[in-house]
Amino acid sequence: SVARISNHLEDELLSIRTGVNLYLTPEAVEDRRNGSVRQGFESHWDWMDVIVVQLSGRKLWSVARNPSIYLSMRDQKRQPKSHELNNLHRYEEFTLCPGDALYIPRGHIHNASTVNFAALSGSGALRECSKDSFPERLSGPSLHLTFGIMTDRGSVEALLHYAIDASGALGNVAIPSCNGVRGITWRTLLHHSLSEVSRRTHPCDTIHFGHQSTPEKCNGNLLLRKSLPFFSDDNLIKDDDKEKLMTKIEQVHQQAIDIFRRGADLFLVSEFIRHSVHSSGDDELRFSYPSLMEEILINCPDEVAMLSETAFRAVIEEFVLESRDDFQRTWLRLLSGGRDKRNWDRSQQKTSLENAAGD
């Protein structure tokens, strides 16, 4: 079943969560004035990695060669800007035939549509489907599955959020009252500060059309948005490979702590709260911590900006000293939280399938 394929992808890709959608798109229609009219979604980009599997019919995909934001987070998703859409030479086009699959990394603008394949056949504009591409499925509407690999709950940033949540040094109150919410702790403020550092963009990790930087040269806050392997079953990885992988993850943990230590800035987190935390009207895309802990959102940027920079730096240093030697406990917390989330999702999935079968 599709649910089993989705669960298998989670295991194979070492991901905490994978979602799946089914899309049916009518054939292109003819318009006497404008010729063939495409059918499909408008151009957009996703905050998750996507694997598309074409089931029947054909579809033309246009995918940006470079992302709008490297390794974008859920709440960074937005409508593409006109200059991003109009640079057509920066896009690649693919015709998906039945049985084909396409991988689109998060942050890459793309659109998919049905076109008049018969009219364009032989023009070189489209790839012809081979005779082995299930010819009985070529005609008619396009039907494809999209698997979304969600990485936010298993990111390097999420690992540090678990470290912040476990720290015993952050429970003191930083802001006594914040727009009706009493007792905002340094822990809550550091959650926001880490999120601000992780989402910070600059020419190194943002592709501006007309200017391109290679991701190989990028470091710094981009590391915080990378995903970590999630071991749902220790038997999936050989012991020797697991030991090497854990050594690498611990090194990444130490690097991430240093990045946060250098990047944390009281003024920037106040501006992040002012402009980002409460900006989305879409609950699905609103800012949230990429983990399973408290989600108290600060809504008093002016009070944050007036805090003592000295006190803020002292709290950061105290957290850094405590968290450096606490990797194992933090990693186990992330694995436990990920398993809880995955088990809950699969339980809901099973219930939904049983209810559908009963109907």
Side-chain angles (χ1 to χ4, degrees):
S1 69
V2 173
R4 287 181 179 177
I5 295 173
S6 180
N7 293 343
H8 183 67
L9 269 177
E10 285 179 354
D11 295 334
E12 286 294 312
L13 299 176
L14 301 179
S15 171
I16 290 178
R17 186 184 179 200
T18 299
V20 58
N21 291 318
L22 179 68
Y23 294 94
L24 177 66
T25 309
E27 292 182 276
V29 297
E30 293 295 325
D31 187 294
R32 291 182 178 179
R33 293 174 297 177
N34 301 318
S36 179
V37 177
R38 296 185 177 196
Q39 300 267 31
F41 278 159
E42 62 182 0
S43 296
H44 66 283
W45 53 273
D46 296 309
W47 59 269
M48 63 191 81
D49 295 312
V50 166
I51 296 176
V52 178
V53 178
Q54 189 72 22
L55 301 179
S56 64
R58 287 174 287 183
K59 209 160 196 181
L60 180 65
W61 288 78
S62 181
V63 183
R65 296 175 183 175
N66 296 307
S68 296
I69 299 178
Y70 273 110
L71 305 180
S72 60
M73 303 298 288
R74 180 196 299 259
D75 50 275
Q76 289 180 304
K77 184 176 178 179
R78 55 169 172 74
Q79 286 295 320
K81 298 177 181 177
S82 58
H83 72 275
E84 295 174 309
L85 298 174
N86 295 333
N87 285 268
L88 298 180
H89 65 285
R90 297 186 179 276
Y91 289 78
E92 298 282 358
E93 288 198 329
F94 307 89
T95 303
L96 290 195
C97 305
D100 287 344
L102 173 66
Y103 167 64
I104 305 175
R106 49 183 162 142
H108 285 250
I109 297 173
H110 58 274
N111 64 63
S113 55
T114 53
V115 298
N116 189 337
F117 287 95
L120 295 175
S121 178
S123 67
L126 301 174
R127 177 175 74 89
E128 298 289 343
C129 294
S130 71
K131 294 181 180 180
D132 298 328
S133 298
F134 306 97
E136 71 279 4
R137 300 185 194 173
L138 282 176
S139 60
S142 166
L143 186 68
H144 76 263
L145 288 169
T146 295
F147 295 92
I149 299 108
M150 306 176 196
T151 58
D152 56 337
R153 292 183 181 273
S155 64
V156 177
E157 179 194 342
L159 183 64
L160 288 199
H161 277 296
Y162 277 104
I164 290 172
D165 196 56
S167 174
L170 305 176
N172 291 335
V173 172
I175 304 173
S177 180
C178 174
N179 285 338
V181 178
R182 294 190 175 277
I184 299 295
T185 65
W186 287 108
R187 175 177 289 109
T188 299
L189 183 59
L190 258 63
H191 278 308
H192 287 68
S193 181
L194 171 60
S195 297
E196 184 276 318
V197 173
S198 176
R199 285 154 182 75
R200 202 176 295 170
T201 58
H202 46 71
C204 185
D205 62 35
T206 303
I207 290 297
H208 299 283
F209 288 92
H211 172 77
Q212 178 177 342
S213 298
T214 58
E216 290 80 7
K217 296 180 181 178
C218 291
N219 49 32
N221 61 331
L222 182 63
L223 176 71
L224 298 175
R225 301 201 295 269
K226 290 188 175 183
S227 57
L228 293 168
F230 174 70
F231 309 138
S232 62
D233 184 349
D234 288 338
N235 295 324
L236 291 173
I237 301 177
K238 296 179 180 178
D239 289 340
D240 290 346
D241 293 337
K242 182 179 178 182
E243 185 176 349
K244 293 177 183 178
L245 196 53
M246 289 305 302
T247 299
K248 179 62 177 177
I249 294 172
E250 186 168 5
Q251 291 172 351
V252 168
H253 174 254
Q254 298 298 327
Q255 293 170 10
I257 291 171
D258 289 335
I259 290 166
F260 177 47
R261 179 188 188 184
R262 293 194 304 267
D265 184 286
L266 197 55
F267 173 75
L268 291 179
V269 71
S270 70
E271 290 302 295
F272 172 72
I273 291 167
R274 189 185 311 277
H275 299 293
S276 302
V277 172
H278 299 275
S279 61
S280 177
D282 187 341
D283 287 342
E284 184 67 20
L285 299 178
R286 71 178 179 86
F287 167 78
S288 62
Y289 310 154
S291 50
L292 302 177
M293 58 205 61
E294 59 147 314
E295 288 195 4
I296 299 173
L297 299 184
I298 298 176
N299 192 23
C300 51
D302 293 333
E303 285 83 348
V304 172
M306 289 188 294
L307 288 170
S308 164
E309 181 69 33
T310 301
F312 178 67
R313 295 311 313 177
V315 169
I316 294 288
E317 293 300 322
E318 196 169 357
F319 163 70
V320 168
L321 287 173
E322 182 180 4
S323 59
R324 281 200 188 281
D325 298 324
D326 204 24
F327 166 71
Q328 288 295 335
R329 187 170 66 137
T330 302
W331 176 249
L332 290 175
R333 284 171 62 85
L334 184 141
L335 289 183
S336 176
R339 288 192 183 101
D340 289 346
K341 175 60 179 173
R342 176 182 281 191
N343 290 338
W344 187 87
D345 285 342
R346 291 189 178 183
S347 173
Q348 293 294 109
Q349 179 186 89
K350 182 180 179 180
T351 300
S352 297
L353 290 173
E354 290 173 348
N355 290 340
D359 294 338

